[in-house]
């Protein structure tokens, strides 16, 4: 039973190497995020986004089920892209973001198959809440024409009034519900 | 003259390649900040870790100062940058819903990518929920798009609204960030006992 012996006396160097490395100082990470946003503006003339990438996938899914809607539905028509809804700029941004985050997480030993939750809810409850939250957040982002990326960061840096209103509303909505959801997180 | 897109015609392949590269930096920065973790993100709503506000605010101010400085020296034409039209009711109502979804779900759309890329199953489920929400909006409430356009004000920025130049606003935001940094440090010390022990 050599494996058991290894468990009893773990190699200290290996154990230390597997510990997650600390996150960056938030101001440094914010500065880097700001440079990415600035660079995106300087190249494309538009900033970052996220929700539009999901919209491209949604329109593609809808086209498989109801192709006629691509002309009649104003939302799908916007993302139909002449029959190539998956060649969506923001969707490629999201794919890049997944790769970038995976690289960062791998380098920092932070990859974990896990469910993020407080100790007082079960994994199942947390996953159900994650689905509901994603659904509501996406609906809100569609109404507001953007999310934390497209409105708050991108519009905020250009002092877009709608973006600043959106940002205040997001924090108001989240702080308003925080008390009722403390069991999920604390 | 910048932005590049105003003077260069990119092919579709080049545009999508640019998207991948920008996304790479975007996802890297989000994960470095700790935003692949729903508990780190929602901590801001219980005041014991204000990283979300610190990162967002610093990013906004960095980009704002950069945009202003580059336009002031004549390298960047601000008029060529896209500004989403403002519809107060939509940004207020949509923002409140979004905020509720954020604390219930634990993520926002961009940070869910950082979460699922680092193995968080709740991040994957949040992304599935988002797909459902976006599809539901298109199928059930597409009229909101029409209403939005009919009641939107184009190019409504604080400089346009107030007549005070972008440079002054950028200066004010830098000053506010410094003040907020001090305030957030005090908040974190006051609410440190809310930090979960496991």
């Amino acid at each position: 039973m050599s494996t058991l012996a290894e468990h009893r006396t773990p190699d200290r160097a290996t154990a230390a190497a597997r510990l997650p490395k600390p996150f960056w100082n938030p101001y440094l990470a914010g500065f880097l995020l700001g440079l990415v946003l600035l660079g995106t503006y300087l190249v494309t003339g538009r900033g970052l986004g996220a929700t539009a990438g999901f919209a491209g996938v949604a329109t593609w899914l809808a086209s498989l089920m109801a192709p006629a809607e691509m002309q009649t539905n104003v939302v799908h028509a916007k993302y139909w892209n002449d029959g190539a809804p998956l060649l969506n700029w923001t969707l490629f941004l999201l794919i890049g973001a997944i790769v970038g985050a995976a690289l960062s997480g791998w380098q920092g030993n932070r990859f974990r198959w896990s469910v993020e939750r407080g100790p007082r809810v079960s994994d199942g409850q947390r996953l159900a809440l994650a689905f509901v939250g994603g659904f509501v957040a996406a609906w809100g982002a569609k109404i507001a024409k953007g999310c934390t990326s497209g409105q708050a960061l991108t519009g905020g840096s250009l002092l877009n009034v709608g973006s600043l209103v959106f940002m205040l509303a997001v924090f108001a909505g989240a702080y308003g519900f925080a008390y009722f959801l403390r069991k999920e997180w604390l | 003259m910048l932005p590049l897109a105003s003077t260069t015609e990119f092919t579709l392949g080049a545009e999508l390649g640019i998207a991948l590269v920008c996304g790479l930096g975007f996802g890297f920065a989000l994960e470095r900040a700790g935003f692949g973790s729903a508990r780190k993100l929602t901590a801001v709503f219980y005041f014991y870790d204000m990283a979300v506000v610190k990162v967002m605010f610093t990013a906004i101010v960095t980009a704002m100062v950069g945009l202003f400085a580059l336009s002031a020296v004549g390298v960047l034409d601000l008029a060529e940058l896209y500004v989403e039209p403002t519809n107060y009711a939509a940004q207020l109502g949509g923002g409140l819903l979004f905020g509720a979804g954020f604390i219930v779900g634990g993520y926002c759309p961009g940070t869910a990518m950082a979460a699922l890329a680092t193995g968080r199953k709740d991040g994957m489920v949040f992304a599935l929920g988002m797909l459902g929400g976006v599809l539901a909006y298109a199928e059930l409430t597409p009229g909101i798009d029409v209403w939005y356009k009919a009641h939107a004000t184009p190019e409504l920025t604080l400089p346009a609204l107030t007549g005070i130049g972008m440079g002054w606003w950028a200066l004010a935001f830098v000053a506010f960030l410094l003040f907020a940094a001090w305030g957030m440090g005090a908040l974190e010390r006051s609410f440190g006992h809310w930090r979960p022990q496991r």
Side-chain angles (χ1 to χ4, degrees):
Chain A
M1 295 298 281
S2 63
T3 49
L4 196 66
E6 272 164 28
H7 276 294
R8 277 185 190 148
T9 52
D11 180 28
R12 281 185 169 229
T14 321
R18 280 186 189 161
L19 279 178
K21 293 180 188 167
F23 300 126
W24 274 5
N25 176 298
Y27 297 107
L28 178 65
F31 180 66
L32 177 69
L33 184 57
L35 290 184
V36 172
L37 173 58
L38 180 62
T40 309
Y41 256 132
L42 298 183
V43 175
T44 68
R46 308 171 74 106
L48 300 166
T51 312
F54 284 86
V57 178
T59 294
W60 173 71
L61 284 175
S63 76
L64 302 179
M65 293 180 278
E69 271 193 4
M70 298 305 113
Q71 274 75 43
T72 55
N73 182 302
V74 288
V75 180
H76 287 317
K78 188 174 156 190
Y79 292 98
W80 179 231
N81 192 21
D82 294 325
L86 294 180
L87 296 181
N88 172 310
W89 195 89
T90 314
L91 182 58
F92 276 71
L93 183 82
L94 291 182
I95 295 167
I98 292 174
V99 176
L103 281 173
S104 169
W106 168 72
Q107 192 277 334
N109 295 322
R110 288 189 289 266
F111 188 97
R112 296 284 184 279
W113 284 112
S114 57
V115 175
E116 290 271 338
R117 59 171 177 81
R120 295 190 283 166
V121 287
S122 69
D123 279 359
Q125 287 169 326
R126 169 68 192 115
L127 290 178
L129 288 168
F131 187 87
V132 172
F135 192 96
V136 173
W139 206 316
K142 287 302 292 180
I143 293 170
K145 290 276 173 290
C147 55
T148 15
S149 313
Q151 281 287 16
L153 289 180
T154 299
S157 65
L158 262 186
L159 294 157
N160 186 358
V161 176
S163 305
L164 299 170
V165 170
F166 173 79
M167 202 174 348
L168 294 177
V170 168
F171 279 100
Y175 275 108
F177 278 94
Y179 176 80
F180 306 102
L181 289 155
R182 61 196 187 283
K183 203 180 147 194
E184 185 183 2
W185 301 115
L186 297 181
Chain B
M1 196 70 174
L2 295 169
L4 273 181
S6 67
T7 50
T8 315
E9 192 70 35
F10 291 120
T11 63
L12 177 66
E15 274 196 12
L16 297 179
I18 290 166
L20 283 175
V21 173
C22 294
L24 211 66
F26 185 31
F28 189 90
L30 289 177
E31 206 285 330
R32 288 278 111 162
F35 290 3
S37 158
R39 292 184 89 186
K40 175 94 176 165
L41 287 165
T42 53
V44 70
F45 303 119
Y46 302 99
F47 304 107
Y48 65 84
D49 182 346
M50 299 297 289
V52 168
V53 178
K54 291 176 187 170
V55 172
M56 275 183 68
F57 207 157
T58 308
I60 290 170
V61 168
T62 301
M64 191 188 297
V65 169
L67 290 172
F68 169 72
L70 290 172
S71 79
V73 296
V75 183
L76 169 70
D77 184 1
L78 284 178
E80 288 286 340
L81 302 183
Y82 177 75
V83 179
E84 188 74 50
T86 290
N87 176 323
Y88 286 115
Q91 264 96 49
L92 191 66
L96 287 171
L97 270 180
F98 186 91
F102 190 166
I103 185 138
V104 172
Y107 297 101
C108 62
T111 51
M113 299 301 106
L116 67 86
T118 50
R120 269 60 178 183
K121 294 175 212 164
D122 49 326
M124 295 169 202
V125 174
F126 182 92
L128 280 179
M130 274 202 67
L131 195 56
V134 168
L135 202 52
Y137 175 88
E139 298 297 331
L140 304 177
T141 56
I144 294 179
D145 261 28
V146 181
W147 164 82
Y148 187 102
K149 266 190 204 144
H151 298 89
T153 315
E155 314 260 321
L156 186 68
T157 61
L158 276 182
L161 186 71
T162 60
I164 297 167
M166 186 179 182
W168 292 111
W169 284 108
L171 195 64
F173 270 72
V174 170
F176 187 53
L177 173 59
L178 294 175
F179 171 73
W182 165 80
M184 287 187 287
L187 267 181
E188 286 172 345
R189 282 188 295 278
S190 305
F191 289 90
H193 59 283
W194 279 6
R195 183 183 290 275
Q197 296 309 307
R198 63 190 172 105

